[in-house]
Amino acid sequence: MYQDLSITWGDGRGQVLNNGQLITLSLDKTSGSGFQSNNQFLYGSFDMQIKLVPGNSAGTVTAYYLKSEGSTWDEIDMEFLGNSSGEPYVLHTNIFSQGKGNREQQFYLWFDPRADFHTYSVLWNPSHIVISVDGTPIREYKNLEGAGVPYPKTQAMRLYGTLWDAEDWATRGGLVKTDWSKAPFTASFRNFNYSACVWSNGGSSCPSSSSGAGSSWYNEKLSTAGQSRMKWVQQNYMIYNYCNDPKRFPQGLPLECTLSSKSS
C-alpha cells in the first residue's frame, strides 16, 4: 500500500502495518485520521477490504470515497455510520457532480461488518457508477447527461479513507453520542486493488479511443444477474432513497429519479 496510498492526517493515528499490507485509522477525542491515493484517476474500478470499528461505534464515521478538488467537485461517497453495540451499521452513499449532491441512498448490510474484512467496490466508467459490496451491486448511477443530468466525467478524483467523529448527526440523527471511554476507535483497510486511468500532468494513462484502456471495466455494464442482485439488496436492505422522498424536493424529484423509474 506504500506505493498507492499515503497517510495524510491524524498525527500518528493512521498507520501502515504488516510491511505495507494493512492500514489502520484511529479516532480519539482529539482527532481522527485519514489517507489518500498518491494518484488521481479519471475512471476506474476500485476495490478495498475494510473491517469497521468494532463494539460501540456510535457517532463514528468510516469513509471510503473518490473526490475531485475545487468548489464544483465530483464525488463518489461511501460512509459507514457507526451504531451502538448490537445495532446495525448504516452504509450511506452519495454521488456529487459539479458540486451538487443530495443523492443519498442508505443501506443496512446483510452481515456484521465489524467481525471481518469485506470488499467494498466502486466501478466508474463513462456509462455508469456502480457501488458493490462483496461483489454484489447495491447502487447504480447511470450517465444520463444526454437528458440533462450532470455526470462525473471531466474531473480527476483521488481516493480517500477517513475515520472521524460525527456524533452530532451520524447515529440516529445525533441522538446517540460517541462514548469516548471506548476510544481509541480503529478501522482497518487492506488489499487495495484498482484498474484505472491515471491522470497526470493534464493527461490520462488510457488511450483516447472509445475503448478506453482496452480493459473490461471501461465498458462494463450490469449483467442481468447483477441487476437482479441489486434489486434484491434494494428491496431488502435499502432504508433510504432520495428518489422516494418527494417532501424533500417540493419542486419535483431530481430528473434522474424520473428517468431511472421509466427505464427500470
Side-chain angles (χ1 to χ4, degrees):
M1 284 193 175
Y2 281 119
Q3 295 178 333
D4 297 313
L5 306 169
S6 297
I7 305 292
T8 48
W9 62 282
D11 196 21
R13 292 172 181 81
Q15 296 188 306
V16 184
L17 305 171
N18 297 358
N19 295 317
Q21 299 302 304
L22 178 72
I23 288 180
T24 60
L25 298 180
S26 292
L27 163 71
D28 57 32
K29 201 161 188 177
T30 302
S31 176
S33 50
F35 63 80
Q36 69 179 40
S37 62
N38 298 326
N39 288 318
Q40 293 179 293
F41 310 99
L42 191 60
Y43 299 134
S45 176
F46 309 89
D47 299 331
M48 181 78 79
Q49 290 192 336
I50 307 173
K51 185 178 180 181
L52 297 177
V53 174
N56 183 358
S57 58
T60 71
V61 175
T62 305
Y64 163 58
Y65 59 101
L66 290 149
K67 186 179 181 182
S68 67
E69 299 172 354
S71 59
T72 55
W73 74 97
D74 295 339
E75 184 174 348
I76 304 167
D77 201 15
M78 275 189 265
E79 294 181 341
F80 301 88
L81 312 185
N83 213 332
S84 305
S85 297
E87 296 297 319
Y89 261 86
V90 172
L91 171 50
H92 174 99
T93 70
N94 204 349
I95 310 287
F96 288 76
S97 186
Q98 300 172 20
K100 182 178 181 299
N102 297 328
R103 299 184 177 99
E104 299 91 346
Q105 290 183 357
Q106 294 184 334
F107 304 84
Y108 288 141
L109 297 166
W110 49 97
F111 52 84
D112 182 356
R114 300 169 258 226
D116 205 349
F117 285 91
H118 292 268
T119 302
Y120 303 91
S121 307
V122 173
L123 169 67
W124 169 38
N125 67 25
S127 300
H128 60 174
I129 293 163
V130 179
I131 296 174
S132 301
V133 177
D134 286 340
T136 295
I138 66 169
R139 176 173 189 175
E140 179 185 32
Y141 182 79
K142 296 178 181 178
N143 184 346
L144 299 171
E145 200 171 39
V149 179
Y151 186 79
K153 69 168 194 176
T154 59
Q155 301 186 77
M157 294 198 256
R158 211 177 283 275
L159 183 137
Y160 297 87
T162 57
L163 174 60
W164 45 286
D165 172 46
E167 68 173 2
D168 56 335
W169 66 269
T171 306
R172 293 183 58 207
L175 292 176
V176 182
K177 302 299 184 183
T178 306
D179 182 357
W180 292 111
S181 71
K182 302 292 193 295
F185 304 98
T186 301
S188 302
F189 300 74
R190 73 180 187 191
N191 291 350
F192 174 49
N193 290 301
Y194 68 93
S195 180
C197 300
V198 176
W199 187 262
S200 179
N201 298 318
S204 172
S205 64
C206 293
S208 57
S209 68
S210 60
S211 62
S215 301
S216 58
W217 63 264
Y218 193 89
N219 298 299
E220 185 177 328
K221 304 285 198 297
L222 266 184
S223 66
T224 302
Q227 292 174 359
S228 177
R229 294 206 308 273
M230 184 173 70
K231 187 174 182 180
W232 172 80
V233 172
Q234 293 181 351
Q235 287 177 339
N236 291 281
Y237 294 97
M238 180 186 281
I239 58 172
Y240 178 79
N241 181 2
Y242 73 109
C243 285
N244 294 334
D245 193 359
K247 290 182 179 178
R248 186 177 165 197
F249 302 99
Q251 304 302 316
L253 289 172
L255 183 56
E256 68 267 19
C257 298
T258 54
L259 291 172
S260 294
S261 65
K262 290 175 182 177
S263 62
S264 61

